[in-house]
């Protein structure tokens, strides 16, 4: 038996082998305290807690699209600087 405490993370779409999801505060504390979690993730989570939920959701969507696309390109052996996308194929205007 593994004495290490594990956190069951369950998405809204389904369940995990009959295990009940941990309460949200417990999940957050687990992530913030876990030594294997990246400092980047811990900082992002900690700062997101003080922000508007709408801003957090918008930022999450942008990060998901951009970082997922970059990861797919890197894993496929492509240079992410020259990849193409139907969503983000135009330069961002910094004055807008």
């Amino acid at each position: 038996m593994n004495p290490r405490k594990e956190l069951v993370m369950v998405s809204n779409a389904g369940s995990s082998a009959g295990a009940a999801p941990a309460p949200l505060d417990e999940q957050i504390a687990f992530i913030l305290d876990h030594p294997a979690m990246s400092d980047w993730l811990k900082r992002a989570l900690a700062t997101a807690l003080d922000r508007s939920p709408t801003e957090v959701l918008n930022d999450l969507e942008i990060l998901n699209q951009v970082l997922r696309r970059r990861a797919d390109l890197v894993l496929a052996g492509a240079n992410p600087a020259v990849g193409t996308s139907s969503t983000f194929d135009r330069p961002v205007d910094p004055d807008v």
Side-chain angles (χ1 to χ4, degrees):
M1 186 157 117
N2 186 352
R4 193 173 74 171
K5 181 179 177 184
E6 295 293 331
L7 180 68
V8 177
M9 303 289 268
V10 178
S11 72
N12 292 338
S15 64
S16 174
L24 182 58
D25 289 342
E26 185 179 328
Q27 289 178 344
I28 291 169
F30 179 87
I31 293 166
L32 293 175
D33 294 337
H34 199 286
M37 299 290 175
S38 73
D39 290 337
W40 179 83
L41 176 63
K42 292 177 183 182
R43 283 191 308 271
L45 177 56
T47 58
L49 297 175
D50 294 328
R51 298 186 60 220
S52 152
T54 302
E55 290 175 348
V56 171
L57 290 175
N58 288 335
D59 289 351
L60 282 172
E61 185 61 31
I62 292 167
L63 282 173
N64 181 45
Q65 290 182 28
V66 172
L67 294 179
R68 185 176 302 276
R69 180 171 157 244
R70 183 180 186 283
D72 288 344
L73 288 168
V74 170
L75 292 173
N79 179 350
V82 295
T84 60
S85 167
S86 61
T87 306
F88 294 106
D89 57 356
R90 294 182 309 272
V92 175
D93 183 353
D95 296 326
V96 174

